Amino acid sequence: MKSKTVAGRVLEGTVISNKMQKTLVVLVVTKLFHEMYNRLIIKRKKYKVHDQEGKAKPGDRVRIVECRPYSKEKKFKLLEIVKC
């Protein structure tokens, strides 16, 4: 697959909702190791994502990219669907 050049953060997550028009809710899970406590910390964050064609469905693994604000909460857009 050809890689696209993008400006901004690129995150990968799972679509958990597509009930809004042209908007997805994507759950991004980040794992990091805490040096002091020697524990693995799992952080979960939901992002509202702009999906122009409405191709992604719940359960899909997607890659999103930071972009200009589309609305108050929607500051990411769909880059590609990694796995259906």
Side-chain angles (χ1 to χ4, degrees), residues 14-18 24 51 54-62 81 83-84:
T14 306
V15 178
I16 56 174
S17 174
N18 67 344
L24 305 171
D51 182 12
K55 292 189 282 187
K57 296 176 177 43
D60 289 352
R61 191 91 179 139
V62 295
I81 298 174
K83 189 172 82 170
C84 294

Side-chain angles (χ1 to χ4, degrees), residues 8-34:
R9 293 185 298 162
V10 177
L11 302 172
E12 194 168 314
T14 306
V15 178
I16 56 174
S17 174
N18 67 344
K19 294 185 179 184
M20 295 172 274
Q21 293 178 3
K22 298 185 181 181
T23 304
L24 305 171
V25 179
V26 176
L27 179 70
V28 176
V29 177
T30 307
K31 296 178 182 179
L32 56 100
F33 190 75
H34 198 289

Side-chain angles (χ1 to χ4, degrees), residues 1-2 7 11 14 16 19-20 22-23 27-30 34-35 39 41 47-50 58 63 70 73 79:
M1 184 182 325
K2 192 176 185 182
L11 302 172
T14 306
I16 56 174
K19 294 185 179 184
M20 295 172 274
K22 298 185 181 181
T23 304
L27 179 70
V28 176
V29 177
T30 307
H34 198 289
E35 293 293 327
R39 298 270 189 250
I41 297 174
Y47 293 96
K48 296 227 172 80
V49 178
H50 184 71
R63 194 166 287 134
Y70 284 98
E73 297 179 341
L79 185 62

